[in-house]
Amino acid sequence: MRGGRRRRERWPLARRAVRRRASADAALLVVAVAFAVPLAWLVLASLDERATLRVRLPAAPTLHNFTAVLTDEITFTPMLNSLLICGGATLLTVGCAALAAYPLSRFRSRFARPYLLTVLFSACLPVTAIMVPVYALFVRVDLIDTRYGTALFLAAAQLPFAVWLMKNFMDGVPAALEEAAWTDGASWFQTLLRIILPLMGPGLSVVAVYTFIMMWGNFFVPFMLLLSPEQLPASVSIFTFFGNYGAIAFGELAAFSVLYSTPVILLYILISKRLGGGFTLGGAVKG
Amino acid sequence: MTRRLLRWSPLAPATVLLVLFLAGPVGYCGYLAVTDTQLTGQESASFVGLANFRHALADPEFRNAVLLTLVFTVVSALLGQNTLGLALAGLLRRASRPVRTVTGAVVITAWVLPEIVAGFLLYTFFERRGTLNAVLAWLHLPTQDWLFTLPILAVSFANVWRGTAFSMLVYSAALAEIPQEVTESAEVDGAGGLRRLWHITLPMIRRSIGTNLMLNTLQTLSVFGLIWALTRGGPGNRSQTLPVFMYDQAFVKSLIGYGTAVALLLLVVGALFSAVYLRLLREEV
């Protein structure tokens, strides 16, 4: 009797749950398809020698577009520039952020909190807005059209968020191990380098990879600060596909876009577990 | 004293970099905005006070840019990214595992792609000969040249496509923190889906909503590459938001002083939003 009643109660609930799951699935699939269409163009057009603006299956899939763009001028030089600029800037950002995070995380002071709040505040400012004065300034101090100048600015622009993240990760490393090292006579730099940073390895890689992804995709900064074609990173050189001839080679544009996007997608997958769970990206503002 | 200075010395490299390359330009921004600096003949720049700002207020093109920025922000950030992100986060919790994985991956890929690639993809989507019109024609619906007839809506949808993942991640994290019992007991009490959303879910995640709205707005205020790849602010100036207007004035029309004044206004709006965001965070921490 009791069992029968329970069963009667449970069945509609279970059915409702199934129905609810099905409707959620259906709604999500609609959104997924809508989001996937432009991505599908990217993949399909890159394999289609006669790609147009529309999503369509290539008549004869070929890697021709890729072999066509794999030249020094189109792919290798811009990608190398991207790597030099973003790699250098990432090293600088991560280095400065790790150093700055150390006292902020370890010592008490009246000015630590205002410093951190200022840093967080500047992490939110729209960097786009200051590109005109940055350009004017770079002309004055002769940093314009140099890759290291661009890297320096990118590093500074990404630094506030990196400091904030790094400090939070460093807070998670217990101080007990350091204290042992202190008594053995290690300097703060040795403790930071040998003990804290290795212990926060995953956090460190999140900061580095996130910083690199943001810089790799940045268009406006190199667009403003670099002029000569041979110095341009991939984010700006991509405009050469819109050539001076009027006709656009869409298949090659797609192939190049795939090559240019792959590194950041792979890197994102590498850190996505950490980005998705626990870490809510509070303050991740640069697009 | 020396010891204290030594202790805080690791802050120096970061501080120097920030002062030279962020605070410096912001200060220079304030200086340039009150001069009539032009790209050609920089030596002859002179102090003009608030003339650039007065000029902006009287300039119909500036007002057009302000209005378009407002439309762009409201449609793409507040209505689009925020609402769709919340809906997706809610649906993801109920969906079956494969659907959850696929949808999450697709939406996040759109976000991770470099800005300029996203711009090109959506260009091909909205273009007259592009996929959107092909689909509409197939459904026997009227087609049109979206980038010409509704450029600001096209770039707004592009921004939704690109930025929704961020809200989705923020809200997924927020929803995961709501205790299961709360929703369950409301359900047992017979509260329907909409009432549960309005009376329980939304109040419980209101801080996440606040911070997410702030961050969406700040991100959207600084979008340049996406619009540049899609429309370059055109046709005419019908998708020219403030960053594009700023660029146009400073570099196409060579009015660095005026362009910087616009930049300063943008920076002030951004600073206000950042300050509100910090306030919201401070309550949370």
Side-chain angles (χ1 to χ4, degrees):
Chain A
M1 184 61 190
R2 269 183 76 192
R5 226 176 78 197
R6 195 186 283 164
R7 187 177 293 167
R8 234 181 295 143
E9 275 172 8
R10 260 172 58 187
W11 269 110
L13 260 183
R15 218 162 46 206
R16 193 144 43 116
V18 169
R19 220 186 306 144
R20 198 199 275 178
R21 169 165 295 189
S23 59
D25 282 356
L28 282 178
L29 283 176
V30 170
V31 176
V33 168
F35 270 75
V37 169
L39 293 173
W41 181 83
L42 182 66
V43 176
L44 294 175
S46 73
L47 300 171
D48 189 346
E49 212 181 327
R50 292 193 199 141
T52 62
L53 287 148
R54 280 181 199 177
V55 175
R56 60 162 199 193
L57 286 174
T62 154
L63 291 178
H64 180 268
N65 291 324
F66 286 94
T67 49
V69 297
L70 282 177
T71 65
D72 275 348
E73 195 191 350
I74 300 178
T75 300
F76 296 122
T77 307
M79 295 282 261
L80 185 67
N81 285 335
S82 284
L83 193 67
L84 285 175
I85 295 169
C86 305
T90 301
L91 286 180
L92 191 59
T93 302
V94 172
C96 288
L99 285 173
Y102 180 72
L104 289 171
S105 165
R106 287 327 196 223
F107 306 136
R108 297 257 149 267
S109 165
R110 260 176 304 134
F111 95 118
R113 194 175 156 80
Y115 189 94
L116 268 173
L117 284 174
T118 313
V119 159
L120 190 57
F121 176 76
S122 47
C124 296
L125 288 179
V127 168
T128 306
I130 60 167
M131 285 320 291
V132 174
V134 167
Y135 174 86
L137 202 64
F138 269 41
V139 171
R140 289 221 144 187
V141 299
D142 231 7
L143 275 176
I144 203 76
D145 200 24
T146 59
R147 279 172 294 197
Y148 70 91
T150 309
L152 280 170
F153 180 75
L154 277 174
Q158 211 54 45
L159 191 55
F161 187 58
V163 169
W164 181 256
L165 266 186
M166 193 76 89
K167 191 250 170 199
N168 285 339
F169 282 124
M170 212 175 271
D171 284 346
V173 178
L177 285 165
E178 269 165 272
E179 276 154 19
W182 283 106
T183 51
D184 289 342
S187 72
W188 67 265
F189 189 68
Q190 285 169 323
T191 349
L192 176 66
L193 209 62
R194 299 270 169 77
I195 297 173
I196 304 177
L197 290 180
L199 278 174
M200 55 179 283
L204 197 66
S205 59
V206 166
V207 179
V209 169
Y210 185 82
T211 305
F212 186 81
I213 290 178
M214 285 297 140
M215 291 173 179
W216 187 265
N218 195 311
F219 163 74
F220 200 31
V221 173
F223 176 66
M224 293 286 284
L225 302 182
L226 291 171
L227 311 165
S228 28
E230 71 278 3
Q231 302 215 49
L232 295 180
S235 58
V236 185
S237 77
I238 199 169
F239 271 103
T240 47
F241 286 96
F242 281 74
N244 310 315
Y245 322 110
I248 304 170
F250 285 107
E252 293 178 13
L253 171 64
F256 179 77
S257 300
V258 169
L259 293 173
Y260 167 44
S261 308
T262 305
V264 285
I265 290 179
L266 292 180
L267 284 173
Y268 183 82
I269 293 170
L270 202 73
I271 58 161
S272 60
K273 278 247 153 60
R274 298 193 156 265
L275 283 169
F279 170 53
T280 52
L281 281 164
V285 288
K286 304 283 160 48
Chain B
M1 191 62 211
T2 339
R3 225 188 107 207
R4 250 187 81 184
L5 237 113
L6 205 67
R7 273 187 157 189
W8 291 93
S9 62
L11 273 183
T15 312
V16 168
L17 209 56
L18 289 174
V19 167
L20 282 184
F21 290 97
L22 279 190
V26 171
Y28 198 49
C29 191
Y31 162 74
L32 282 179
V34 293
T35 67
D36 60 355
T37 306
Q38 303 208 352
L39 263 188
T40 45
Q42 271 198 331
E43 304 308 317
S44 61
S46 58
F47 179 77
V48 294
L50 297 177
N52 283 326
F53 298 97
R54 270 200 297 275
H55 176 49
L57 292 179
D59 183 358
E61 284 200 54
F62 173 77
R63 276 183 270 172
N64 169 65
V66 171
L67 189 70
L68 287 176
T69 309
L70 216 59
V71 173
F72 183 58
T73 311
V74 170
V75 172
S76 67
L78 305 188
L79 297 178
Q81 295 176 358
N82 181 58
T83 316
L84 186 60
L86 179 60
L88 285 176
L91 286 168
L92 283 173
R93 292 175 66 74
R94 296 187 193 164
S96 57
R97 205 187 159 81
V99 174
R100 193 162 61 211
T101 313
V102 168
T103 312
V106 170
V107 175
I108 289 176
T109 306
W111 181 55
V112 179
L113 277 185
E115 187 180 16
I116 220 68
V117 172
F120 285 138
L121 295 191
L122 291 153
Y123 173 80
T124 65
F125 183 72
F126 284 116
E127 222 268 352
R128 192 170 48 80
R129 294 156 296 168
T131 309
L132 179 58
N133 278 342
V135 172
L136 290 175
W138 184 66
L139 292 169
H140 297 289
L141 290 168
T143 63
Q144 53 185 307
D145 191 348
W146 300 98
L147 294 172
F148 189 81
T149 51
L150 295 165
I152 191 66
L153 281 189
V155 294
S156 299
F157 277 111
N159 195 35
V160 172
W161 184 81
R162 180 167 156 72
T164 297
F166 179 81
S167 304
M168 185 182 88
L169 290 172
V170 169
Y171 286 132
S172 290
L175 291 180
E177 303 219 322
I178 297 180
Q180 196 94 50
E181 308 93 69
V182 181
T183 12
E184 269 170 13
S185 65
E187 205 168 340
V188 170
D189 290 346
L194 270 181
R195 284 185 62 179
R196 274 209 312 279
L197 175 73
W198 189 250
H199 290 292
I200 295 162
T201 314
L202 290 184
M204 288 194 82
I205 60 167
R206 66 177 190 283
R207 291 220 173 110
S208 300
I209 297 177
T211 53
N212 187 55
L213 284 177
M214 283 304 131
L215 293 175
N216 279 350
T217 307
L218 282 163
Q219 271 165 346
T220 304
L221 275 181
S222 56
V223 170
F224 178 87
L226 196 63
I227 298 179
W228 191 253
L230 270 162
T231 65
R232 300 207 174 186
N237 56 11
R238 286 176 26 228
S239 59
Q240 196 175 52
T241 57
L242 279 170
V244 185
F245 178 74
M246 171 193 87
Y247 177 82
D248 188 55
Q249 293 299 323
F251 292 102
V252 181
K253 306 214 167 83
S254 301
L255 303 170
I256 296 263
Y258 186 40
T260 315
V262 176
L264 194 63
L265 291 172
L266 200 59
L267 208 58
V268 169
V269 175
L272 287 177
F273 276 100
S274 305
V276 176
Y277 170 67
L278 281 192
R279 264 250 111 80
L280 285 168
L281 264 194
R282 201 181 285 197
E283 273 175 44
E284 211 169 353
V285 178

